[in-house]
Amino acid sequence: QVSLVESGGGVVQAGDSLRLSCAASGPFVTFSAYTMGWFRQAPGKEREFVAAISPGAGRTYYADSVKGRFTISRDNAKNTAYLQMNSLEPEDMALYLCTSRKGPYTGIWANDYPYRGPGTQVTVSS
């Protein structure tokens, strides 16, 4: 079982930046063996893939809507993944969820990631 806890959400204005963190814990063999992903869900909308980073050195993947503005990274020594969000837009406002799966990146579907944190709220005012 992998436990994930997000932090770093908040209320910002359009154009501002935020950095989300996701701390992983549990009896896993090694954090570096897990693909880490970020999803988001706004009220009344489907859960949406945002970004993912593969195990090890970390190849990155992004939704088109955030490409060039968001950066996902990981620190395997700290068992932590990050999502740097720049040039935030009102459309980015959502509950951001950290997810993980053991093994390689397999895609953007939420069901591919069996572990999920409770989420951190990002609110962007125009």
Side-chain angles (χ1 to χ4, degrees):
Q1 184 70 23
V2 177
S3 176
L4 304 173
V5 179
E6 305 92 339
S7 61
V11 180
V12 297
Q13 293 188 328
D16 286 350
S17 299
L18 277 176
R19 188 195 197 201
L20 306 184
S21 298
C22 172
S25 62
F28 46 78
V29 175
T30 174
F31 175 77
S32 62
Y34 286 73
T35 293
M36 302 300 296
W38 288 94
F39 286 73
R40 65 188 182 187
Q41 189 161 18
K45 294 189 176 180
E46 296 286 325
R47 187 165 297 170
E48 175 188 22
F49 172 80
V50 176
I53 185 166
S54 64
R59 182 176 177 180
T60 56
Y61 307 83
Y62 297 96
D64 287 343
S65 58
V66 306
K67 204 170 292 183
R69 299 188 297 122
F70 291 12
T71 302
I72 188 171
S73 61
R74 65 191 302 155
D75 185 336
N76 292 330
K78 295 183 178 180
N79 291 353
T80 301
Y82 304 95
L83 185 68
Q84 177 67 43
M85 305 186 296
N86 298 331
S87 302
L88 282 161
E89 303 168 352
E91 292 74 21
D92 296 318
M93 184 163 60
L95 181 69
Y96 281 72
L97 301 155
C98 177
T99 63
S100 71
R101 58 167 283 108
K102 187 175 182 181
Y105 171 79
T106 57
I108 66 171
W109 306 111
N111 287 342
D112 287 345
Y113 300 82
Y115 305 109
R116 184 176 69 243
T120 185
Q121 180 67 38
V122 172
T123 300
V124 184
S125 60
S126 56

